[in-house]
Amino acid sequence: MRLAPHFLALAAAATLALPAQAITFGGDTTGGPVWNRPVASFSGLSAFGTGVAYQVTPFTVTADGVYTFQNTAVGGWDNFTFVYADAFDPAAPLANGVIGNDDNPGIGLSGFAPALTAGTPYFYVVTGFEASEFGAYGAEIRSEERRVGKECRS
C-alpha cells in the first residue's frame, strides 16, 4: 500500500497518549486492489459491492474500550468502512468481521463505535459502496480515555 508522507510520519508516533486525542490519517482507494465487499452485518456479500477498490490499515489499541471511528470521503464519494479482527483476507470478506457501516449519517461519511480489545490485531478497511465509488478520504480513531496504537505497513 502506498502511504502519503503525513501518514508515514504518523507511523513514527505509533502510540498517542489520550484522553481527548485522536489518531487522524488519510488515504486514497483510487486504483487500489478490488474485492467483493460484504454488507455491513457480514451476513453476506453485497449485490452492489462487486469489484470495489479498497485500502486496508492495520492497527492495535493498547487498552480495552469503545473507540469511535469516522471516515470522510473527500469530494463526497460513497464510502463504506469495516473493522476486521485478527486477520483480513479480501478473498474471504465474511471472515473476522467486527463492524461495518455505509452512511454515518449520510453519503460521504462512514463510522461506528465498536468495543475493541488491547493487543488484538485489527484491520480498518475503506472501500466504496459500489465499483464507481472511490477516492481520497480522511479518517479518525478516537477514545476519550484510552491509548490508540497504529502500525502502518507499506
Side-chain angles (χ1 to χ4, degrees), residues 9-152:
L10 178 61
T15 302
L16 294 179
L18 299 176
Q21 292 184 4
I23 288 180
T24 58
F25 57 96
D28 195 329
T29 63
T30 304
V34 297
W35 71 327
N36 296 332
R37 72 159 176 78
V39 296
S41 66
F42 300 96
S43 61
L45 295 178
S46 169
F48 300 101
T50 59
V52 184
Y54 71 92
Q55 188 170 57
V56 61
T57 302
F59 73 97
T60 61
V61 295
T62 59
D64 295 354
V66 174
Y67 291 82
T68 302
F69 293 70
Q70 187 64 38
N71 187 287
T72 303
V74 176
W77 58 277
D78 195 357
N79 56 347
F80 209 121
T81 57
F82 297 93
V83 169
Y84 285 82
D86 298 318
F88 169 70
D89 180 355
L94 303 179
N96 303 319
V98 174
I99 195 166
N101 178 260
D102 181 15
D103 300 329
N104 182 42
I107 292 175
L109 299 170
S110 179
F112 32 68
L116 302 178
T117 303
T120 299
Y122 291 104
F123 301 84
Y124 182 63
V125 178
V126 179
T127 191
F129 180 78
E130 57 192 357
S132 63
E133 301 291 345
F134 53 85
Y137 64 87
E140 178 181 81
I141 304 172
R142 175 180 294 276
S143 175
E144 297 303 320
E145 301 178 18
R146 305 286 190 248
R147 292 176 170 260
V148 180
K150 183 167 180 326
E151 176 183 346
C152 298

